[in-house]
Amino acid sequence: MTIRTSPRLTDMPHYEPGLTTAEVLKRFGLTSAVKLASNESPFPPMPEVAEAVAGGVATLNRYPDGPARTLRRDLAERHGVDPAQVTVGNGSCELLLLAGQALLDPGTTVMSATPSFSLYGHLAAAAGAGAVEVPLADDHGHDLETMAALIDERTRLIIICNPNNPTGVYRSADAIEAFLDQVPEDLPVLVDEAYNEFVAAPDRGRVLSLARERPNLLVTRTFSKAHGLCGLRVGYAVGSEAWVRAIDTVRQPFNTNALAQAAAIESFRRQSELDRRVRATIAARADLVADLQGEGWEVVPSEANFVLALPPPALGGGAAVHRALLERGVIVRDGTSLGCPGRLRISVGTPEEHAVFAGARAALMHPR
């Protein structure tokens, strides 16, 4: 028996999460595995963050602060904006979906790159809107010139993932600003900076500063990656009051739970430890790239906490290498599901996890 549903469901993209460690252990009869597939932080939450979460358990019979006022105030103070220019969501994913809900209608379009974060396709499908997907440039980054040229009267929202997922390529603040100069002043542009903390370029963060002076720009960030709070789901956005008002109008009243808010507040206030962890991740990324390139892998330059890499021909295609690594307890992401067939997306992990990965690669290169 079926139920009546919207015909839009047939056009809804399906998000395919990576395999969990438990799934891999069971499927391949393993006793241990390392997960380098989901762009998570290899570091657990800071001890003070864990304490803040534990301390909030006793009051879970009460609703959380709906607008997340304390967290908004802290974010606004750090970024030099008014609290009315900040909104908080159940991960930055929710903020993306809310932007689509607030802005899109049938007959309008949302523009993004391809391949990029697969959730962007949901925005158009959920609203019955059209999706304009612009292929990446030859360097695997956004083709901003083509995107600007494709803007028309139907364009209602443009999304730029920077650094881009799944390629890791970063577009400079100058490039983003030049693109914004070509966009109508009333056309909303959302720059998704989920991986901003891992950018080593000196202009990191300047795009968010542009949101103070450009009413059509919204920048989203997350506590899932650098802060290591994937399991609690907290994201935020900074932009004009008009942008934030549009999102808050469609946001459910208690969208960010109390424990998530407590964790984000505590983690955000511990910038020095966060910076230390980020520096370690950037250094580990450089080591991983050097090791892969030394073994003949082709690696796309990345400013995120992952790399997209093409295995050397001697190992066979990406799908075969992906399977062989799983059998050896190394979980990476098959690029086929990300729009990058033949390549693997590999998250940056700890030295111990990288050593396991290196051992698995050596076993593939020199089978007994």
Side-chain angles (χ1 to χ4, degrees), residues 357-368:
F357 181 32
R361 298 196 308 273
L364 295 182
M365 288 292 292
H366 308 288
R368 294 182 178 179

Side-chain angles (χ1 to χ4, degrees), residues 321-340:
V321 176
H322 176 252
R323 170 81 183 192
L325 289 172
L326 288 177
E327 293 173 348
R328 290 163 174 78
V330 177
I331 310 170
V332 298
R333 193 68 183 265
D334 183 355
T336 301
S337 65
L338 304 172
C340 302

